[in-house]
């Protein structure tokens, strides 16, 4: 077990050092999400009718767009693992006497660090353009924890994707196809009630809606029902399904 | 050469012992009963055309792939049942430099060292030793993406050596390298072997195998079709090679016909060159010149040489095609 922890930390460190060497990667965590926030608030925001309980579109949007962003945070894992696979690094790791899950655990752990960074960048942007918390410090922290837990679980989905697909390009488009509808057909950007019936049905059972509603409950004091626990349960379920699948795939992974 | 003699005698002392190794991918039989022996401190060169199964053999021995059947014993450990223990005893350097381009040379080696279970300080010390050995000290602090192809391959080789493994797998270690870098890699491999490391080397370059390998196994269609020392294999092809270079390439077929009676097999035509295997050495050149002169062929150069591994390879893989046909007939009959 201690071996797993040490090896995971070594791999996580490697992935974080890489980011400082390829600063253009940082743009994906910082500039791109900020662009989206500005786009939604100032271009689409005026045309979207939100419930009276919100104090402007920025307050409605920010929890939603942070959730979308955290879902996409795992993309680095998919792309990075696929690249490692093709460059023979996975072969090298698998020939070393290291703990088997450590390559994936280290990778997903590094995502937690980059996710933290992008949540902070988005929050600061939000605060500048009119978002404000309506929450106790404990609720704010709980919201952070929930975001990072969900992001961590989702990184394992991307880990599996990165090990299955044939190229980073394929990881990119397949990931996009899977995640984009999930985040948009949810309560993240518009009230679910404004959608056609079929989409509404999907949006209501969509884990993203549950997570976004949970974030709104924690950060801007909106009625949540059971969504906070629902979001925790979803995160743990995603983790419980995809982490073993990804590790099992890694054990059999063949480069080239 | 004494190692080669000892090889068959005491099986348990072999660094690598493979018996009846089989592996299929779907319907494709990649390995069809491979046997290999490598004595400690020697180099086995695994030769074969693309897709012959060389890389599959290496991947099984390096615990990356589970065999369907057969025994694979490396450094006294079973590659399937004792895979975890075996990983401490092996180093692997592949066809592609398996390094992280965004890390520096030193960071790459330290990472590998720590994944072998070394403390950071120990891994750093070992990393510096290896950078020194591979003449990468000046580049130690630069991201590996700034390295040349040869430097990357040396760093990759260094990563395989971090834990001083007694058995080293090198899968086409010089493919794509310039001649200078190839020589550097060769020198390093020779030094490692002199220190007692056992090396299994796959290569497409026969001169590489000729220079480095103590024994050679030629593998084709998932089977070992010949093995022995380079000299033994050359002797098996037999005789001398007569090589004639013509002034006019168009006359090659005429020259081949003129030389045909001196050889047991049909002379080989390649552009302006004609090669024929001949039995005896004395008087061959005189006879060849006379025959070519009678045929009216103008000769630019004529030489007599020992067979190279290229000749061995050609002769062996040529024979394999017939063996396969026999196999298919047998299968059809069964």
């Amino acid at each position: 077990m201690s071996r797993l922890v040490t090896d995971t930390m070594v791999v996580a460190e490697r992935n974080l050092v890489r980011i400082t060497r390829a600063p253009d990667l940082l743009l994906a965590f910082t500039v791109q999400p900020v662009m989206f926030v500005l786009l939604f608030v100032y271009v689409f925001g005026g045309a979207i009718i939100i419930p009276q309980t919100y104090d402007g579109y920025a307050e409605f949007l920010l929890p939603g767009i942070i959730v979308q962003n955290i879902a996409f945070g795992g993309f680095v894992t998919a792309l990075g693992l696929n690249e490692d696979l093709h460059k023979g690094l996975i072969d090298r790791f698998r020939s070393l006497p290291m703990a088997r899950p450590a390559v994936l655990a280290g990778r997903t752990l590094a995502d937690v660090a980059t996710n933290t960074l992008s949540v902070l960048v988005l929050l600061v942007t939000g605060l500048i353009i009119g978002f404000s918390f309506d929450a106790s410090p404990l609720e704010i922290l709980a919201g952070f924890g929930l975001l990072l837990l969900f992001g961590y679980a989702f990184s394992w989905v991307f880990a599996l994707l990165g090990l299955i697909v044939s190229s980073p390009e394929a990881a990119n488009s397949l990931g996009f196809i899977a995640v984009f509808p999930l985040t948009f057909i949810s309560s993240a950007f518009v009230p679910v009630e404004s959608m056609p019936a079929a989409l509404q049905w999907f949006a209501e059972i969509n884990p993203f809606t549950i997570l976004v509603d949970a974030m709104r409950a924690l950060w801007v004091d909106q009625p949540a029902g059971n969504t906070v626990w629902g979001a925790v349960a979803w995160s743990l379920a995603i983790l419980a399904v995809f982490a073993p699948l990804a590790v099992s795939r890694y054990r059999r992974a063949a480069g080239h | 050469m004494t190692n080669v003699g000892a090889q068959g005698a005491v099986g348990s002392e072999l660094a690598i012992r493979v018996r009846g190794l089989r592996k299929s991918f779907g319907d494709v039989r990649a390995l069809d009963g491979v046997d290999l022996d490598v004595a400690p401190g020697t180099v086995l060169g695994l030769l074969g055309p693309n897709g012959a199964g060389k890389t599959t053999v290496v991947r099984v021995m390096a615990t990356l792939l589970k065999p369907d059947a057969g025994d694979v014993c490396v450094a006294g450990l079973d590659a399937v049942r004792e895979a975890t223990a075996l990983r401490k005893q092996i180093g692997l350097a592949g066809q592609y430099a398996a390094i992280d381009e965004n890390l520096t040379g030193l960071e790459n080696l330290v990472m590998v060292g720590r994944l072998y279970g070394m403390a950071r300080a120990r891994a750093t010390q070992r990393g510096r030793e290896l950078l020194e050995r591979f003449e990468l000290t000046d580049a130690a602090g630069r991201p590996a993406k700034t390295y040349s192809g040869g430097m990357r391959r040396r760093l990759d080789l260094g990563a395989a050596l971090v834990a001083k493994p007694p058995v080293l797998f090198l899968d086409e270690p010089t493919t794509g390298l310039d001649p200078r870098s190839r020589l550097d890699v060769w020198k390093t491999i020779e030094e490692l072997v002199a220190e007692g490391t056992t090396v299994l080397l796959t290569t497409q370059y026969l001169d590489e195998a000729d220079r480095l390998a103590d024994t050679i196994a030629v593998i084709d269609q998932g089977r070992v079709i010949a093995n022995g020392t380079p000299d033994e294999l050359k002797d098996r092809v037999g005789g001398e090679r007569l090589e004639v270079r013509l002034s006019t390439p168009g006359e090659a077929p005429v020259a081949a016909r003129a030389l045909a009676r001196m050889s047991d097999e049909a002379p080989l035509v390649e552009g302006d060159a004609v090669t024929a295997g001949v039995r005896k050495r004395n008087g061959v050149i005189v006879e060849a010149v006379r025959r070519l002169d009678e045929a009216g062929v103008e000769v630019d150069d004529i030489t007599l040489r020992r067979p190279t591994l290229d000749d061995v390879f050609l002769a062996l893989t040529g024979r394999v095609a017939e063996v396969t046909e026999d196999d298919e007939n047998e299968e059809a009959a069964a």
Side-chain angles (χ1 to χ4, degrees):
Chain A
M1 195 62 195
S2 73
R3 204 49 221 275
L4 175 59
V5 173
T6 323
D7 292 346
T8 300
M9 295 314 284
V10 172
V11 176
E13 183 185 317
R14 168 222 172 196
N15 289 313
L16 291 176
V17 170
R18 296 186 84 206
I19 292 171
T20 65
R21 298 290 152 69
D24 43 343
L25 255 179
L26 275 178
L27 293 182
F29 306 123
T30 52
V31 176
Q32 195 184 311
V34 168
M35 258 174 49
F36 266 92
V37 171
L38 299 180
L39 183 75
F40 270 92
V41 169
Y42 294 112
V43 179
F44 300 128
I48 296 169
I49 300 157
I50 50 158
Q52 293 296 317
T53 48
Y54 290 90
D55 193 12
Y57 187 62
E59 193 182 280
F60 180 84
L61 172 77
L62 207 74
I65 206 158
I66 288 182
V67 166
Q68 186 201 36
N69 198 58
I70 209 128
F72 277 99
F75 250 111
V76 198
T77 282
L79 301 180
L81 278 175
N82 199 262
E83 195 186 319
D84 286 353
L85 203 58
H86 288 287
K87 291 199 167 162
L89 263 164
I90 297 289
D91 278 355
R92 163 144 287 146
F93 287 136
R94 289 183 59 230
S95 77
L96 295 177
M98 60 188 285
R100 295 282 96 178
V103 169
L104 304 184
R107 188 101 226 179
T108 48
L109 189 63
D111 285 350
V112 176
T114 49
N115 280 340
T116 307
L117 176 70
S118 48
V119 170
L120 287 174
V121 168
L122 281 178
L123 259 184
V124 170
T125 312
L127 292 170
I128 292 170
I129 61 166
F131 173 83
S132 59
F133 286 110
D134 186 359
S136 70
L138 199 70
E139 284 171 323
I140 295 176
L141 274 180
F144 255 105
L146 183 58
L147 279 173
L148 295 180
L149 173 67
F150 186 77
Y152 183 68
F154 230 74
S155 285
W156 284 93
V157 178
F158 280 106
L160 180 64
L161 180 74
L163 291 172
I164 288 174
V165 297
S166 58
S167 68
E169 290 78 12
N172 215 345
S173 43
L174 276 177
F176 217 71
I177 289 168
V179 179
F180 220 64
L182 276 174
T183 56
F184 274 96
I185 310 171
S186 78
S187 64
F189 301 97
V190 296
V192 170
E193 297 74 45
S194 67
M195 298 178 191
L199 286 187
Q200 223 177 88
W201 172 81
F202 178 80
E204 271 162 12
I205 56 160
N206 184 349
F208 280 86
T209 298
I210 294 168
L211 182 68
V212 170
D213 289 351
M215 288 308 299
R216 286 183 180 139
L218 288 168
W219 280 5
V220 290
D221 199 25
Q222 296 294 317
N226 295 323
T227 56
V228 173
W229 292 114
V232 172
W234 262 108
S235 305
L236 294 177
I238 291 170
L239 199 57
V241 171
F242 284 92
L245 282 178
V247 171
S248 138
R249 180 73 198 178
Y250 170 82
R251 283 174 189 275
R252 288 177 291 123
H256 323 303
Chain B
M1 288 303 111
T2 49
N3 284 326
V4 177
Q7 221 169 269
V10 195
S12 60
E13 284 176 10
L14 292 169
I16 299 174
R17 183 178 181 277
V18 176
R19 288 292 177 274
L21 174 58
R22 287 170 198 278
K23 179 74 192 175
S24 296
F25 299 103
D27 291 339
V28 183
R29 218 180 287 167
L31 299 177
D32 194 14
V34 168
D35 298 337
L36 290 173
D37 287 325
V38 190
T42 68
V43 180
L44 173 73
L46 205 52
L47 301 184
N50 276 332
K54 298 178 304 235
T55 298
T56 307
V57 171
V58 171
R59 292 179 67 82
V60 169
M61 289 197 278
T63 75
L64 298 179
L65 203 60
K66 280 205 176 81
D68 295 337
D71 291 322
V72 178
C73 187
V74 178
L77 297 164
D78 186 279
V80 178
R81 277 174 284 119
E82 296 164 297
T84 311
L86 176 54
R87 291 187 186 115
K88 291 179 186 149
Q89 306 293 320
I90 56 172
L92 171 68
Q95 294 175 36
Y96 307 87
I99 50 175
D100 188 330
E101 300 194 328
N102 287 306
L103 298 188
T104 67
L106 183 60
E107 283 166 349
N108 265 291
L109 296 177
V110 171
M111 173 179 75
V112 173
R114 293 182 68 199
L115 293 176
Y116 268 110
M118 296 177 186
R120 188 188 291 269
R122 171 84 193 92
T124 307
Q125 185 199 345
R126 180 67 182 144
R128 290 198 188 286
E129 278 170 32
L130 286 163
L131 289 167
E132 180 80 40
R133 167 168 205 165
F134 288 99
E135 293 166 29
L136 290 169
T137 302
D138 291 343
R142 263 172 30 207
K145 62 184 159 199
T146 65
Y147 286 18
S148 69
M151 289 164 79
R152 283 170 201 227
R153 207 62 73 93
R154 297 211 298 277
L155 182 62
D156 186 49
L157 199 50
L161 298 177
V162 166
K164 301 185 182 170
V167 179
L168 200 55
F169 300 117
L170 304 176
D171 192 9
E172 302 195 8
T174 65
T175 299
L177 288 189
D178 61 76
R180 167 77 219 280
S181 305
R182 273 182 91 194
L183 282 175
D184 285 345
V185 172
W186 287 357
K187 225 175 65 193
T188 308
I189 295 171
E190 282 165 347
E191 284 166 16
L192 290 167
V193 174
E195 292 160 17
T197 307
T198 306
V199 176
L200 185 135
L201 167 91
T202 79
T203 183
Q204 300 198 46
Y205 302 117
L206 302 174
D207 54 336
E208 183 164 290
D210 210 354
R211 165 153 174 182
L212 296 174
D214 299 296
T215 52
I216 284 174
V218 182
I219 187 167
D220 195 19
Q221 303 192 7
R223 282 183 206 190
V224 176
I225 55 171
N227 57 42
T229 66
D231 282 333
E232 282 167 4
L233 290 179
K234 288 174 199 167
D235 287 345
R236 197 179 301 186
V237 176
E240 305 277 330
R241 304 273 123 181
L242 177 71
E243 230 173 49
V244 180
R245 206 159 282 280
L246 306 171
S247 307
T248 321
E251 292 176 343
V254 183
R257 235 174 291 129
L259 297 175
R261 296 180 76 189
M262 297 175 64
S263 176
D264 291 342
E265 59 219 71
L268 189 74
V269 176
E270 267 179 308
D272 63 347
V274 181
T275 310
V278 290
R279 291 241 159 264
K280 57 186 175 71
R281 190 177 175 86
N282 290 341
V284 166
I285 289 193
V286 177
E287 187 185 343
V289 170
R290 189 175 51 77
R291 284 178 184 275
L292 291 169
D293 192 43
E294 278 170 9
V297 177
E298 204 173 314
V299 174
D300 185 46
D301 189 23
I302 185 162
T303 49
L304 196 59
R305 61 168 173 81
R306 290 260 301 140
T308 63
L309 281 179
D310 287 279
D311 302 314
V312 173
F313 196 72
L314 206 65
L316 286 170
T317 47
R319 217 182 296 151
V320 164
E322 295 161 24
V323 171
T324 311
E325 267 171 33
D326 289 345
D327 274 1
E328 276 165 9
N329 292 340
E330 275 167 30
E331 271 170 21

